[in-house]
Amino acid sequence: MSKNEEVKKGVIFPIGDENTAYAQYFVGQSYYNALVADPEVAVGVGNVTFEPGCRNNWHIHHDGYQILLVTGGEGWYQEDGKPAQSLKPGDVIVTHDGVKHWHGAAKDSWFEHIAITAGKPEWLEAVAEDLYEGLHQ
């Protein structure tokens, strides 16, 4: 049994559907629930839920930013060239324009965050398996 199994039921908002639109940019299964998807608003807001071990690829937000509000479970965030940060409910991450980064669940825990995103993402390579596994030793 994984830690924080209650997250799969949604902590504040429902987890949404399987994130098939972006599945190619994730290792493992994620779920997405668009909370704000108004074409007249230049910021997207979504509830993203990660199964244990799920994480997104390295990516960069161009002409924008990303704010993560951690609502449940345990996860990781890392900017290129910096150590990974452990995430837990209540943590807030601000990723500035042009910063290469990734985020996702711990290998043994469900994880959920609200993502507030502006700009266009550039999706890059998957997080190296040895880097990810090394976080759990």
Side-chain angles (χ1 to χ4, degrees):
M1 182 175 227
S2 302
K3 293 194 298 186
N4 301 298
E5 293 252 346
E6 69 279 2
V7 171
K8 69 183 174 184
K9 296 177 184 167
V11 176
I12 298 170
F13 300 101
I15 69 169
D17 297 322
E18 288 187 1
N19 191 3
T20 56
Y22 289 90
Q24 64 187 335
Y25 307 120
F26 283 72
V27 171
Q29 183 62 57
S30 68
Y31 302 85
Y32 184 75
N33 179 9
L35 303 176
V36 176
D38 184 330
E40 295 182 30
V41 176
V43 176
V45 180
N47 185 43
V48 185
T49 305
F50 301 77
E51 289 188 357
C54 178
R55 66 264 188 200
N56 54 32
N57 288 4
W58 289 98
H59 58 288
I60 299 169
H61 298 280
H62 294 287
D63 300 318
Y65 54 84
Q66 187 170 57
I67 299 168
L68 304 176
L69 308 174
V70 179
T71 56
E74 297 173 24
W76 293 99
Y77 170 85
Q78 184 175 19
E79 293 182 0
D80 192 29
K82 295 184 179 178
Q85 297 175 240
S86 175
L87 298 177
K88 62 187 181 326
D91 287 341
V92 176
I93 295 291
V94 177
T95 305
H96 294 276
D97 183 36
V99 174
K100 182 177 177 181
H101 67 287
W102 69 272
H103 36 103
K107 73 177 185 178
D108 62 348
S109 178
W110 283 77
F111 178 63
E112 189 168 71
H113 63 55
I114 304 296
I116 302 166
T117 309
K120 180 163 177 53
E122 175 187 3
W123 290 99
L124 304 166
E125 72 278 7
V127 174
E129 195 66 30
D130 60 336
L131 183 156
Y132 182 76
E133 288 297 323
L135 298 173
H136 299 91
Q137 296 179 0

